[in-house]
Structure formats: structure tokens, C-alpha cells
Amino acid sequence: MLAPGERLDWLRLSRTETIGPVTFYALLRRFGSAEAALDAVPRLGRHDVVPMSRAAAEREAAALDRRGARLLCWGEPGYPETLAAIEDAPPVLSVLGYGELLAAPTIAVVGARNASANGRRLAQDLAAGLGEAGIVVASGMARGIDAAAHGGALASGTVAVVAGGVDIVYPPENRGLYEALVREGAVVAEMPLGTEPQARHFPRRNRIISGMSLGVVVVEAAAKSGSLITARFALEQGREVFAVPGSPLDPRCRGCNDLLRNGATLTETAADIITQLGPLLHGAQLPPRPPRAQRELPLTVAPADPAPVVVDEETGLGLILEKLSPAPVAVDELVRQCQLSAAAVASLLLELELAGRIERHPGNLVSRR
Amino acid sequence: MLAPGERLDWLRLSRTETIGPVTFYALLRRFGSAEAALDAVPRLGRHDVVPMSRAAAEREAAALDRRGARLLCWGEPGYPETLAAIEDAPPVLSVLGYGELLAAPTIAVVGARNASANGRRLAQDLAAGLGEAGIVVASGMARGIDAAAHGGALASGTVAVVAGGVDIVYPPENRGLYEALVREGAVVAEMPLGTEPQARHFPRRNRIISGMSLGVVVVEAAAKSGSLITARFALEQGREVFAVPGSPLDPRCRGCNDLLRNGATLTETAADIITQLGPLLHGAQLPPRPPRAQRELPLTVAPADPAPVVVDEETGLGLILEKLSPAPVAVDELVRQCQLSAAAVASLLLELELAGRIERHPGNLVSRR
């Protein structure tokens, strides 16, 4: 545990332009402390290096405090051990929410933003299954697979690593999820408060997702997509890569199938992941959390636009058919994914049922015929 | 090449009850010829073994002749070398059609009878791609994947191995395919003419499909399905196993995903197969065949019931939607698979297009939105 003053020095040094994580640790080794490094840095290079001022660091710390967030430095208790092991681990993280989750065994579940309904369901089921096994689920809070993975593990434990500041909700429609994560899980960022995420931030963020995880599961990913960057980081960091197989005719599955071709572990259920990791998970257990009532748990994750969308019947039928496949899906999930009222979905489903286009299954599930 | 009399002796010995292929070859080794073995067999065992009579063998040979079929014995020119290498290779095959195909490098493409439209399309595309690479496609003439694989390779070269007699069309709705195979490809059987296929014949047939092939590609197969038996034979025979990945939510993909988990080569296109087999295919070339006109090529493979089915509009829309997925499919293929007239399909597609449920693509392709 660093003293408050030391933590501020770490923040100042890590926020100093041109000093990335690798340089940060090199300076720390050479000068023995962040304070000594801050003294030495302006005299070191041929170029002017101006460290972050103490006043600016104090302002950031105070702002984090007001938001209920805290700083977590490399090597401090609670800093994920797996993340600490990578060469370019973030020296300082800002953490919102239930930070104790960061110390538990973690698996990342990531994938396409434009995921299919089945892909989202798979991500959610995998995340829930990992949670049951005492594993925290990390992801990137993006649309599609990421959001579904967080949703599936909200009750057990999930951590979002965001590309911008810990206070920035991106994409904006995931505000409901963000709020639930802050209450129920945790949100983690490397960037300063208030940073709007930019393209260059995402690969850096992805290295944290894989770095804090024992393995990365990719669910639906097109060729050359961001999820594959996370998988590549995982390989470089010596982590396991898991991929969910899919039809060669669906471009959203191409990246996953490529990963499988290159040796990723084929994954249909959480059991595939747990079997593969075996001893690494020995005694995996989620940190105890206060009972739900004290955590002001929202009953459901509010969608970005909580007001149900009103559509004509034709569009509604199209929306539902698009989300359905031969694999049964829960009606509740359809309601959520279509953003229609439960009553509207029920009436559209009745119509499709009478037309012989869908099939009902026990447990309020439906599939396309 | 056996003399006609020798070939009859082979037929008599191989058709003798209780003498399976392994015993057949043991007798041949011990007595030097089928004729000598036929003499010895009745005095050998503790039980009466009555060889097939010469008259019965002559009747079978004459009947094959009338049908335009011929006998092909183990080790004769044209008997597939890969098949000859397995311990329980059929001593005698009956062959209808273009038997020269049996000597070319062959890959089996097999899978589920209740295949999805996408599965059938994949099987057809894989088969066509193998044909372009000079590879003959073997399969079992079953509904679904098998039929699609034969269809895709009809122009290049395909062999059906049937479970009953070479003259028995099973399933009956594949009569059109059978006739095309006899004209364009080949049909091969181990059982005597007129044998109606029974459950126990299918695994025996499957060992021939894998045995004559360098590798077996499985496209859509449920857990514990017959295609997996073919894949197991392939492994036992030292052949490559290929599997097409699919969604964990589709039970028709479970068998393939299990194969992939156990080391099968992940296969999306024919290139995956060709790359894996590499040197085994060196110089693969289809046997020259007479020009199409001389072979009375039917313009299309007639479906079992060539009269288009007449359905009401609602059913027609359902039929088409069921066959469609987000992956584009050719309208011609839809017509064939729905067994509706081209005009009916065109009008139903127009309706779906206006309703925003389908998307058109270049090349007369459509997909579900």
C-alpha cells in the first residue's frame, strides 16, 4: 500500500507525457521511487519533459474522490496480479464501484459490436456460467457481445475496462449498463478522468482486458476486428484464447473460426473454459459482497432509451424475425433486444405462432421454425 | 484383372454367409485362390458353411450386366487404392455409372439429413471447390448434406456409396439424383443387387465412404449421429477428418464442434481441405470423360417430385423465410429447395422485399435482413 503522497507521485509520473508504462517502471527501478524520478526527469532527456504538476495531480485525486472513484497503483493490494505481470501494466488505474472484484480470478468475454441475438445470448450464458464457477468476467462495455457479457455476470461479478476516463459513458446508449456496473461490478480506466475515448485508446485498453484475465473468450468477431487484437494481446501475454465457433457463411464468425484454426480452444459453454484452465482456477471464489439490498440493485439494466419504441406491426414482425433463429431464445430477452413493450412482443409472437413461423418451447422460449 | 471365372469365384466366396471381408482375405491367403477356398470352406468349420452356388453367382452377374453395372474386385485396376488399403475392404463391389472416378483422389463430404439451407449450401460449395481442384467427392446419397455434396460435384465427379444394392434408390425421393449419378458420376454398393438397405448396412457402408477417401469432411452433424461414425472410421483408417464449425446453439452443429474439439481440421472452404492434404493431392486430376452431350446429361437434377408443390401464400412465405439466413443464398437454390415454381418464389420474394424482410445482392442472391 502506497502512502497518499507516494500515490500522488505515481500519478504525476504516469501522467507525464512521453512516459509510457515501460519507461515508468524503468525510471522507478533506476531512481528507486516516483518522487526521485520526478526530480530527475526534467534533467534527463534532450527534450523538455515536464511532469504533471503536484496541483494537477491533487485536482485529479480530489475529482476522483468526489465521484467515489479511487486510484490503484501497480503492486498495491487489490491490483490484479495477472495484470501486474505484464510488461506494460498500467502504473495507475482509476476504479469505480466494487474494486475488490479486481483481485479475483478473471476471464475476459469480448466480441463484435454488431452481434447477432444468438451471439449476445451465448456471451450472456458464458458470462453467467463463469460467474457460477466463481470467476469474474471482464469486458469492454461496448455494444453487442461486451454488453451481453457484462449483463450475464452482473449478479456474480463483472469488470468493465473503458478506453476513456472512468467517468465517461461510451457508447452513450450503455448508460444504464454503466450505472449498473458502478453499483454491482466495477469500472476501470487507465486514462485521466474526463478523457473522451479516441481510436488510439482502444488497443491500449484491450491489453488491459487481456492482461487482467487468465484467458480471453471471443464470441462473434469479424476478420481483422478489435476483438482479435485483444486475442493477440492475450497470446503475447501468455494467456489462453477461447473462441466460439460459427457458420462459415456468417462474416461475424470469421474471426472466431480463424482463431480456432490457429489453436484457440473451441468453446460452446463455460465448462469448456473451466476444463481448459483447470488448475489455474483452483479454489476460484468471488469476493464476498454486501447483500443485494444494500447495493441499491436496479431490478433490470435500463436500456439506453428506456421508453419502448413504437413501431407498426410489419416492422415489429421483421424486428422479431431478425432476432430469432432455430435455436430457442427467451421471450424476455427478445423484449429487451427489440426494445418493444412486453405486450407488443407477446402479440407479435402470437401472430407469428399462428402463421407457423415460430415454435414455442418450455421455459418461455421461442425459436424460428 | 481377374478372369471372368475368377471374378465369379470371388463373388461366390464374398457372398457366402459368415464370411466377412477379413475372413475372405484370410481364406485367400491360406488357399491361394477363391476357387480353392470355395472347395475347402465346406469342410473347415464346425458349422455348415454353404458357399453361394455358381448358378446364383451367374444370375447376379447377368442381372448386373442387364442393368449396365459391373463387378470390381479388390486389387483390380480401378478398385480405389485407398479403399484397398483398409483391413476390411469389400472384396467385391458392384459399380454403376462412370466407374473410372473410383481411381481418382477422393474426399468424402457427409452430414446431417435434416440439414439447414446454409448447411446444404456449404456442402455444395465445398464439393464444387473440391471438384475444381481435381478431387472426386464421395458421399452416401442421403437427404440433406449428402445430396447437396453430390449435387455440387455432379459436373466434376462424384461417387455415391449406397447401403443396399446398387439398383435400389434410397431414400426414394432421391431418384432424380440417383439417375444423374448413374449418368454423370458413379454409384457403388457392397450388398447384392436388390438388397433393401437396413439399419445394420449403414455403418458398413460408412467404412467404405471413409475408406475410399483421403479425408472425410463433416458438414452439420448432431451429437452421436451417423456422420460421426464415418468420421470415427476415417480416424481408424488413418484418414484426415475435417469439420465445418457452427453455432453452439444449433444442435445440428454439435457433432462438428465436438470433432473440432478433438482435433479435426476446421473447414470453411475447399481451400482448407486442400491445404491440409497438401502433398497427398499432388497432381490430383479427374479422369477424362466423354463430352457432356454424349452422356445424356439432364439439364437439372430432377427433384423426387418434379411437379412444383402448390401452397398458399402464408405457407410459401414461411417456407422461404425458413430457408433464408443472414448469409446470402442464390434464388435458384431457393427454388430448388422449396420445390416451388420459380414464378411463385419470385412473387413471394418480392413480397418479402417490400416488407423489408429480405435483402437482394448482386448475382441473384438474397438474404434475411
Side-chain angles (χ1 to χ4, degrees), chain A residues 148-277:
Chain A
H150 288 305
L154 208 49
S156 48
T158 184
V159 176
V161 185
V162 296
V166 78
D167 57 336
I168 301 296
V169 180
Y170 183 84
E173 70 259 40
N174 281 354
R175 172 160 299 280
L177 175 61
Y178 173 85
E179 284 166 4
L181 282 164
V182 170
R183 281 203 186 104
E184 282 287 288
V187 180
V188 172
E190 183 181 23
M191 293 292 123
L193 267 185
T195 309
E196 290 289 343
Q198 291 166 27
R200 67 192 159 87
H201 295 143
F202 289 91
R204 297 196 58 182
R205 185 276 307 267
N206 292 352
R207 92 184 194 285
I208 305 178
I209 293 180
S210 56
M212 69 189 291
S213 303
L214 298 168
V216 171
V217 189
V218 184
V219 186
E220 284 190 356
K224 296 178 186 163
S225 59
S227 310
L228 300 187
I229 297 178
T230 312
R232 208 191 58 219
F233 280 129
L235 287 175
E236 288 170 7
Q237 295 162 350
R239 307 296 148 83
E240 295 286 334
V241 175
F242 302 86
V244 176
S247 168
L249 297 177
D250 189 340
R252 286 177 294 207
C253 301
R254 206 147 296 157
C256 285
N257 289 342
D258 280 343
L259 288 173
L260 290 171
R261 204 183 267 112
N262 292 318
T265 299
L266 188 140
T267 302
E268 295 184 299
T269 66
D272 291 316
I273 301 161
I274 292 159
T275 305
Q276 176 72 13
L277 290 175

Side-chain angles (χ1 to χ4, degrees), chain A residues 4 21-22 54 74 112 132 143 146 148 155-156 182 198 228 251 260 267 293 314 326 362:
Chain A
V22 175
R54 174 166 289 273
W74 184 93
E132 276 169 29
R143 294 181 192 95
D146 286 18
S156 48
V182 170
Q198 291 166 27
L228 300 187
L260 290 171
T267 302
E314 197 65 6

Side-chain angles (χ1 to χ4, degrees), chain A residues 81-82 103-107 130 132-136 214 273-286:
Chain A
E81 279 178 35
T82 44
T106 299
I107 298 281
L130 291 170
E132 276 169 29
I135 300 164
V136 169
L214 298 168
I273 301 161
I274 292 159
T275 305
Q276 176 72 13
L277 290 175
L280 282 179
L281 293 175
H282 193 66
Q285 208 180 335
L286 292 170

Side-chain angles (χ1 to χ4, degrees), chain A residues 50 52 65 67 99 122 153 157 192 217-218 232 243 249 256 279 316 321 359:
Chain A
V50 183
M52 182 193 219
D65 206 45
R67 291 225 161 238
L122 277 163
V217 189
V218 184
R232 208 191 58 219
L249 297 177
C256 285
L321 279 173
E359 192 177 346

